[in-house]
Every structure is written in structure tokens, then in C-alpha cells.
């Protein structure tokens, strides 16, 4: 429930985290053991949505950098300390149909060169009745997603990309969106997540009557084809996914801002959860 301004360097919360590292380093040194910090994780963004924070992407970069700098000075490690986070997917419960925070969370990850790692969105996970928090089982499910990415980044030493768009092209009345797909092929799944309309895809421009989406289909293992009712003529053309929901609706797979695009990841779960990667919330400009 605390916005970034209450968690940043210099706050009680930040200092508490650094003190934990100081204590752990002292315990390890006394035992004759080495000690490093592998990652910092967060589940965050809702309070900054409420505060309408327009600089949240920069704040995430600052947050990761400040943690890494402070912790490296204690441990003496050379290994990087990335920050793992997830997109918020519950902003509609606060009374708004859209939010910039999940888009900024994606942006921060894309430009960080691996320092900020976006695990994924959360609309496919089970939400509590309040529509903002997850259930206990939902948090365990979410934790397995973090663990999967931790293994990839830390134990295997590889880069992680969520199911996110790489490019979008418009030719006539057809848009093709190419994705980074962790485990191909792409799947349109309307069983796990109900269809909010057009499988979650949204087209927009600045004309009085933008064309509508008539179909959303897969084109190979990594591309989605969005057909429009006519070739658009307006400026400011965009293609989005899971960016608009119903104001007041609780988050989740049947009510919140969501879409139906996932990959085919069959990673094993200790608790019977499905760990496919679902497409992140995004908006892309079209040329």
C-alpha cells in the first residue's frame, strides 16, 4: 500500500532492506562463508497508479540502481543484482478503465538491458474478493512464476523476456504483431481466461470513427494477425492488448483487463499450477 516515494532510497523501508543485507553479511563472515545478493523482487505499482505517477519507469530504474549500489558496497560482489517485478493487472478496481503503470513497467524492463526483469502480467492468476490482491493460492502461483524466471536469470545465467511485442506492422486493413515468445508456439486460450472481446486486442487512432477489429488469428509460432473492418486513415495509430477494462471491475481472468494470448510453456509446478506465459499489457504505435 506504499507508493515508490515511501520505498525509495532514504526511507525506512529501503534502510530496513539494506540492514538485512548488513546482518546477513556479518552472519556469513562470522561463519567463514561468502555472501552475495542474487536479486531484489517486488510486487508493486497499485499505489503509484492511484497517485498517477507519470515517472514510474524512471523510478523503477532508480530503485534497482540504488539497491544494487548499496548492496554491492556491503557484499563486495561483482555479480549484478537485477530487480524482478510483475505488471499490475487490477487497476480497474480503483475505478479507472486504463492505467499507465503496467505500460511503464514494461518500458522499464525493455530499456534496462536486463537490470529490470519483467516476469509477466497477473490477469490469469486467481484474485481475492477485493479484486486487487491475489488469493493465498494465487500468490503461491505468482511465486512460481518468479521462481521460474529466477532460475532462468540467476541459475542458468540467461536473459528472460516475457511474452511481449517486438514489432507491429500495418498493411492495408491488416496488422501483424510479432512477439518475443518464451516457449513457442503462441496460443489463443479462451478457457483459462475469458474473451473480453477481440481476444484482448484494441486498435485506436485519432479519427472520428476508427475501424473496428473483425478478427484476431495466429500467423505462425510468434505472430498475431489483427484484421480491421477497413484500412485506417487517421493519425496516431496504435495496437494495444489488455489495456482497457471495465471501471470498477475486480482484476482476474473473467472480470479484469485481460487477453487470451499465451505461449506453450509446460514448466512443472509443485502445486499443479499452469505456468504458461501470458502476453503482457501493452500499446504499440503503428507506422
Amino acid at each position: 500500500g506504499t507508493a515508490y516515494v515511501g520505498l525509495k532510497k532514504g526511507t525506512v523501508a529501503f534502510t530496513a532492506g539494506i540492514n538485512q543485507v548488513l546482518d546477513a553479511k556479518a552472519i556469513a563472515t562470522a561463519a567463514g562463508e561468502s555472501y552475495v545478493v542474487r536479486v531484489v523482487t517486488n510486487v508493486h505499482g497499485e499505489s503509484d497508479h492511484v497517485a498517477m505517477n507519470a515517472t514510474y519507469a524512471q523510478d523503477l530504474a532508480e530503485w534497482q540502481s540504488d539497491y544494487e549500489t548499496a548492496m554491492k558496497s556491503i557484499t563486495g560482489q561483482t555479480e549484478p543484482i537485477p530487480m524482478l517485478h510483475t505488471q499490475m493487472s487490477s487497476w480497474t478496481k480503483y475505478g479507472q478503465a486504463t492505467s499507465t503503470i503496467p505500460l511503464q513497467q514494461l518500458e522499464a524492463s525493455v530499456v534496462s538491458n536486463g537490470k529490470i526483469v519483467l516476469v509477466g502480467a497477473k490477469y490469469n492468476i486467481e484474485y481475492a474478493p477485493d479484486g486487487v490482491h491475489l488469493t493465498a493460492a494465487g500468490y503461491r502461483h505468482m511465486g512460481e512464476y518468479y521462481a521460474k524466471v529466477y532460475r532462468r536469470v540467476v541459475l542458468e545465467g540467461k536473459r528472460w523476456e516475457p511474452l511481449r511485442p517486438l514489432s507491429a506492422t500495418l498493411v492495408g486493413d491488416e496488422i501483424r504483431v510479432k512477439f518475443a515468445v518464451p516457449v513457442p508456439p503462441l496460443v489463443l486460450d479462451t478457457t483459462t481466461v475469458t474473451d473480453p472481446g477481440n481476444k484482448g486486442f484494441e486498435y485506436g487512432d485519432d479519427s472520428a470513427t476508427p475501424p473496428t477489429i473483425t478478427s484476431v488469428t495466429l500467423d505462425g509460432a510468434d505472430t498475431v494477425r489483427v484484421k480491421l473492418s477497413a484500412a485506417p486513415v487517421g493519425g496516431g495509430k496504435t495496437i494495444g492488448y489488455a489495456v482497457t477494462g471495465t471501471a470498477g471491475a475486480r482484476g482476474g481472468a473473467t472480470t479484469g483487463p485481460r487477453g487470451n494470448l499465451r505461449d506453450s510453456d509446460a514448466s512443472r509446478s509443485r502445486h499443479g499450477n499452469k505456468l504458461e506465459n501470458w502476453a503482457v499489457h501493452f500499446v504499440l504505435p503503428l507506422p
Side-chain angles (χ1 to χ4, degrees), residues 216-265:
V216 175
T217 56
L218 300 179
D219 184 9
D222 64 357
T223 301
V224 173
R225 183 167 57 188
V226 179
K227 190 79 167 176
L228 301 178
S229 58
V233 295
K237 303 176 184 69
T238 61
I239 183 70
Y241 173 86
V243 291
T244 306
T246 302
R250 58 192 294 268
T254 63
T255 52
R258 63 197 187 278
N260 302 106
L261 187 66
R262 64 166 174 83
D263 74 354
S264 298
D265 194 336

Side-chain angles (χ1 to χ4, degrees), residues 43-202:
V43 184
H44 194 253
E46 289 80 3
S47 293
D48 283 87
H49 163 78
V50 174
M52 295 184 289
N53 184 355
T55 62
Y56 190 65
Q58 298 94 304
D59 292 343
L60 284 173
E62 180 181 75
W63 206 7
Q64 183 278 330
S65 178
D66 287 342
Y67 266 126
E68 183 172 68
T69 300
M71 291 176 175
K72 279 185 172 181
S73 71
I74 296 167
T75 66
Q77 70 189 79
T78 58
E79 297 94 331
I81 307 175
M83 176 176 280
L84 273 60
H85 70 124
T86 44
Q87 278 182 316
M88 68 170 290
S89 298
S90 58
W91 64 85
T92 51
K93 187 60 180 176
Y94 293 95
Q96 293 80 40
T98 61
S99 175
T100 68
I101 295 300
L103 306 182
Q104 292 190 69
Q105 289 170 324
L106 173 59
E107 175 193 352
S109 175
V110 170
V111 303
S112 75
N113 194 29
K115 289 183 174 293
I116 298 173
V117 181
L118 179 57
V119 173
K122 295 194 286 284
Y123 55 82
N124 63 302
I125 300 177
E126 183 178 77
Y127 276 76
D130 70 2
V132 173
H133 298 90
L134 305 177
T135 63
Y139 280 115
R140 183 167 63 187
H141 190 179
M142 182 193 72
E144 289 194 292
Y145 276 110
Y146 275 82
K148 183 177 72 173
V149 175
Y150 179 95
R151 175 175 178 164
R152 173 87 172 190
V153 172
V154 176
L155 303 185
E156 298 177 359
K158 300 176 182 177
R159 290 289 291 266
W160 169 260
E161 289 280 9
L163 180 48
R164 72 171 182 90
L166 296 175
S167 63
T169 57
L170 170 66
V171 178
D173 61 357
E174 189 172 274
I175 301 167
R176 290 175 183 260
V177 186
K178 185 173 182 179
F179 287 83
V181 186
V183 183
L186 290 173
V187 176
L188 288 171
D189 180 348
T190 57
T191 301
T192 306
V193 176
T194 60
D195 187 355
N198 299 319
K199 307 299 189 295
F201 283 85
E202 306 173 29

